[in-house]
C-alpha cells in the first residue's frame, strides 16, 4: 500500500495588509494543544466586515442588562444627563482595551485561549481561560433563567391563568420549568449552528431590537405627556456637588466592568475579521454609539415612569407589564426575549466554548464546549442564585470580574509593549516553542496576575444594611485586607493597571531568552 505523502510543515505567511495566516493548504497537526476550532482561521473564512461587528455590538448592547445598567443610575438618584455622562465615558474607556485585544484576533486569526498562550504559556493559558469561562457560565445560567421567565409570561398571555397558575414543582410552576427548558434549547440550537449562525442571528436581531426599543420610548412619551415631561428630572435629585461625584465614580467602574469579560475574549470574534480596519471601525461604531443611544432610550423611559407612576421603574419587564394593550405587551416581551438570546449567546456562550476546547483540544470541540457550558449554566442552579443577588452578582461575579482585569493588563502588556504585536503563529500551538516557557507556564504572568488580583480584590468588603446592621455578603464589613478596601470599588481598573506595570517590569528585568534571540535579527535589519 502506498503511504500518503506527509502534509507540508505549517508555516506563517504575512499578507500585504499585515495579517498573518498559515500557508495555504497547511494546518497545525493534531496535538494536545490543537483541534479544528482552535486552528488559525484561514484567510478565506475571515469574512466579517464593519457591518458584522457593528451588528454584533448592537445586538449585545441592546439587552436587558444594558438597559438596567443605565436605568439603574436614574433609580439611584441621577438625572438623565448625569447618567449619560457615566455611560458615555465608561464605554469610551472600555473601547480602547477592546480594540487593542481584538487586534491579535484580526491579525493572526486566533481565539482568546490561544492568544493567552503568548503571555501565560501553552498550559498556563488555561488559568485565565477557565476564570473567564466560569464567569460566563454563571451569567449564561442567569440570563437563561430570566429568558425562561419571559417565555413563561408570554405564554401566559396566550394561554391564560391555567398556564400561569400551574401546579408547583420544586417551588415553581411546572410551566415555568418548561419555559426555561424551551429557552435553553433555542440557544443550544443556535450555537450548534456555529459561529456563522451566531453572526446571522446578530445581524437579524439587531434592527428588530432597535425598533422595539424605539416603540417603547414612543409609548412612554405618550404616557408621560411628551419628551419634556420625561426629561424634567426630579427636583429633589442629585445636584452636581460632592454627593453626585461620590456616586459617579463607582457607577463609572460599573459601566466599565460591564464589558470586562469581552475585553478578554473579543478575539473570539475578531479572528473572523476581513481586515484590521473592519474590527476597529465596527467596534468603534457599534459599542459606544449603540450603548449611548440605547442607554439614552433607557434613561428617558425610566425617567418617564417616574413622571407617570410616581417611581422610577428600571426593569423593562416591570414597564411592559403596565401596558394595557395585549398586542403591545406581546411585542415588547418578544423583543426582550430576542435581546436576551442574542446577548447571551454572544457574550456568555461563545467565550467559554473556546475556553473549554482549549482545556482538552483532543476531546472538546467548540460545539462540545458550548454544550458543556449550557449544562453548567443549569447545574449552577441560577434560580437559587437569584434568590441572593447581592452575594452572587456583587460578591462572586464582582470579585472574579476584578481578577479578570489583571488578565487584560497582562495580555495588553505582552502583546503591545513586550512583543510589539509580533507573534510566532505556529509556536502558539507547539510544545517547546518560546511560549512553552518553563513547563508550559510563564512565571512572569503568574506573578503579575497574583499581585494585580491582590490589589483588585484584596479589599473586598460587604455592605451593611442601614436598617438592620446586617452584612449583605460574606466579606468583612471593613474588607478582607482593610487598607486595600478603598480600591475594591475600582477593582477592574486597579487590576488592569497594576498587572500591566508588573508584567512589563518583570520582562525588563528578566526578558524571555527566546524573545531576546528573536529581537536580535529584527534590530539588525532596522
Amino acid at each position: 500500500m502506498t503511504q500518503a505523502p506527509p502534509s507540508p510543515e505549517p508555516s506563517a505567511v504575512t499578507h500585504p495588509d499585515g495579517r498573518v495566516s498559515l500557508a495555504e493548504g497547511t494546518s497545525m497537526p493534531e496535538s494536545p494543544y490543537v483541534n479544528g476550532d482552535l486552528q488559525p482561521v484561514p484567510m478565506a473564512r475571515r469574512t466579517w466586515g464593519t457591518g458584522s461587528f457593528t451588528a454584533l455590538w448592537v445586538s449585545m448592547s441592546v439587552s436587558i442588562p444594558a438597559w438596567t445598567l443605565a436605568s439603574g443610575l436614574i433609580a439611584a438618584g441621577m438625572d438623565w444627563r448625569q447618567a449619560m455622562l457615566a455611560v458615555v465615558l465608561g464605554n469610551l474607556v472600555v473601547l480602547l482595551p477592546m480594540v487593542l485585544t481584538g487586534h491579535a484576533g484580526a491579525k493572526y486569526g486566533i481565539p482568546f485561549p490561544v492568544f493567552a498562550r503568548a503571555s501565560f504559556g501553552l498550559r498556563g493559558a488555561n488559568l485565565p481561560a477557565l476564570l473567564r469561562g466560569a464567569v460566563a457560565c454563571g451569567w449564561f445560567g442567569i440570563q437563561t433563567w430570566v429568558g425562561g421567565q419571559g417565555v413563561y409570561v408570554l405564554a401566559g398571555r396566550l394561554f391564560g391563568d391555567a398556564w400561569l397558575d400551574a401546579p408547583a414543582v420544586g417551588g415553581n410552576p411546572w410551566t415555568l420549568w418548561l419555559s426555561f427548558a424551551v429557552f435553553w434549547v433555542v440557544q443550544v440550537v443556535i450555537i450548534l449552528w456555529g459561529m456563522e449562525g451566531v453572526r446571522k442571528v446578530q445581524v437579524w436581531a439587531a434592527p428588530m431590537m432597535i425598533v422595539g426599543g424605539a416603540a417603547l420610548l414612543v409609548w412612554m412619551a405618550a404616557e408621560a405627556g411628551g419628551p419634556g415631561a420625561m426629561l424634567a428630572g426630579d427636583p429633589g435629585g442629585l445636584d452636581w456637588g460632592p454627593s453626585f461625584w461620590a456616586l459617579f465614580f463607582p457607577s463609572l467602574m460599573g459601566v466599565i466592568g460591564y464589558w470586562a469579560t469581552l475585553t478578554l475574549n473579543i478575539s473570539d470574534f475578531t479572528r473572523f475579521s476581513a481586515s484590521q480596519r473592519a474590527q476597529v471601525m465596527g467596534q468603534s461604531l457599534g459599542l459606544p454609539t449603540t450603548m449611548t443611544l440605547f442607554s439614552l432610550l433607557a434613561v428617558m423611559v425610566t425617567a418617564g415612569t417616574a413622571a407617570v407612576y410616581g417611581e422610577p421603574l428600571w426593569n423593562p419587564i416591570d414597564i411592559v407589564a403596565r401596558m394595557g394593550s395585549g398586542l403591545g405587551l406581546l411585542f415588547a416581551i418578544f423583543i426582550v426575549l430576542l435581546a436576551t438570546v442574542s446577548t447571551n449567546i454572544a457574550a456568555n456562550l461563545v467565550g467559554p466554548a473556546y475556553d473549554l476546547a482549549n482545556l482538552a483540544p483532543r476531546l472538546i470541540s467548540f460545539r462540545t464546549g458550548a454544550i458543556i457550558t449550557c449544562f453548567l449554566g443549569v447545574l449552577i442552579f441560577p434560580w437559587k442564585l437569584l434568590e441572593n443577588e447581592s452575594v452572587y452578582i456583587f460578591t462572586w461575579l464582582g470579585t472574579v470580574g476584578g481578577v479578570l482585569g489583571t488578565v487584560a493588563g497582562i495580555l495588553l502588556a505582552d502583546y503591545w509593549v513586550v512583543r510589539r504585536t509580533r507573534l510566532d503563529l505556529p509556536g502558539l500551538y507547539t510544545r517547546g516553542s518560546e511560549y512553552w516557557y518553563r513547563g508550559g507556564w510563564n512565571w512572569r504572568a503568574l506573578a503579575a496576575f497574583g499581585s494585580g488580583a491582590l490589589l483588585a480584590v484584596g479589599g473586598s468588603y460587604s455592605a451593611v444594611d442601614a436598617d438592620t446592621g446586617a452584612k449583605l455578603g460574606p466579606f468583612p464589613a471593613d474588607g478582607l485586607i482593610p487598607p486595600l478596601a478603598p480600591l475594591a470599588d475600582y477593582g477592574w481598573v486597579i487590576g488592569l493597571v497594576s498587572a500591566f506595570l508588573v508584567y512589563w517590569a518583570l520582562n525588563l528585568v528578566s526578558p524571555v531568552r527566546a524573545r531576546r534571540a528573536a529581537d536580535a535579527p529584527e534590530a539588525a535589519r532596522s
Side-chain angles (χ1 to χ4, degrees), residues 144-154 176 179-180 337 386:
T144 302
W145 180 252
V146 171
Q149 291 176 319
V151 173
Y152 172 72
V153 173
L154 176 62
L176 178 55
S179 301
F180 174 62
L337 294 177
L386 283 175

Side-chain angles (χ1 to χ4, degrees), residues 59-63 65 143 258 338-348:
S59 60
M60 287 199 295
S61 300
V62 183
S63 64
Q143 292 275 49
Y258 180 77
L338 184 63
T340 305
V341 167
S342 182
T343 303
N344 211 19
I345 291 174
N348 301 321

Side-chain angles (χ1 to χ4, degrees), residues 6-352:
S7 59
E9 187 71 21
S11 60
V13 176
T14 302
H15 298 270
D17 63 358
R19 290 183 297 159
V20 179
S21 69
L22 295 180
E24 186 176 355
T26 67
S27 61
M28 296 304 303
E30 290 294 320
S31 78
Y33 306 101
V34 182
N35 68 16
D37 297 303
L38 297 178
Q39 292 270 6
V41 177
M43 295 298 288
R45 290 180 52 210
R46 301 190 193 183
T47 58
W48 288 34
T50 300
S52 295
F53 286 103
T54 301
L56 173 72
W57 279 111
V58 169
S59 60
M60 287 199 295
S61 300
V62 183
S63 64
I64 295 176
W67 179 289
T68 56
L69 178 70
S71 62
L73 300 178
I74 298 293
M78 292 185 182
D79 66 23
W80 70 273
R81 291 173 292 268
Q82 295 166 336
M84 289 308 302
L85 175 63
V87 169
V88 172
L89 183 57
N91 281 284
L92 288 176
V93 169
V94 84
L95 175 64
L96 181 60
M98 197 80 70
V99 169
L100 293 178
T101 54
H103 186 280
K107 183 173 182 178
Y108 295 98
I110 53 176
F112 160 63
V114 175
F115 176 34
R117 293 174 183 178
S119 51
F120 282 84
L122 267 75
R123 287 175 172 167
N126 286 317
L127 172 63
L130 291 179
L131 280 172
R132 188 264 176 268
V135 179
C137 286
W139 276 116
F140 176 81
I142 284 185
Q143 292 275 49
T144 302
W145 180 252
V146 171
Q149 291 176 319
V151 173
Y152 172 72
V153 173
L154 176 62
R157 296 289 292 201
L158 296 174
F159 303 130
D161 292 341
W163 178 272
L164 297 174
D165 299 330
V169 175
N172 292 295
W174 69 264
T175 49
L176 178 55
W177 294 113
L178 178 61
S179 301
F180 174 62
V182 168
F183 197 76
W184 183 88
V185 168
V186 167
Q187 295 175 105
V188 170
V189 170
I190 294 173
I191 201 63
L192 289 179
W193 195 359
M195 283 300 295
E196 185 61 18
V198 173
R199 185 185 71 86
K200 290 181 178 179
V201 169
Q202 306 290 351
V203 171
W204 180 80
M208 287 289 295
M209 290 185 287
I210 293 175
V211 170
L216 187 59
L217 175 62
V218 171
W219 172 75
M220 181 51 64
E223 292 288 309
M230 297 174 68
L231 300 179
D234 180 6
L238 294 175
D239 57 21
W240 292 85
S243 58
F244 162 70
W245 295 108
L247 177 61
F248 174 77
F249 287 107
S251 300
L252 179 65
M253 292 303 106
V255 175
I256 294 173
Y258 180 77
W259 294 120
T261 54
L262 264 296
T263 60
L264 300 186
N265 76 293
I266 190 63
S267 58
D268 292 340
F269 300 96
T270 60
R271 66 191 298 229
F272 297 97
S273 180
S275 67
Q276 200 64 250
R277 183 179 184 277
Q279 74 94 4
V280 173
M281 293 300 297
Q283 293 204 80
S284 299
L285 290 173
L287 171 56
T289 304
T290 305
M291 280 295 288
T292 297
L293 294 176
F294 188 66
S295 298
L296 179 60
L297 186 152
V299 299
M300 288 180 68
V301 171
T302 303
T305 62
V308 174
Y309 305 116
E311 61 175 335
L313 301 177
W314 57 276
N315 190 326
I317 295 290
D318 294 334
I319 297 172
V320 299
R322 303 288 185 108
M323 286 185 172
S325 168
L327 183 61
L329 177 62
L330 292 178
F331 176 73
I333 294 177
F334 171 75
I335 294 299
V336 166
L337 294 177
L338 184 63
T340 305
V341 167
S342 182
T343 303
N344 211 19
I345 291 174
N348 301 321
L349 200 50
V350 171

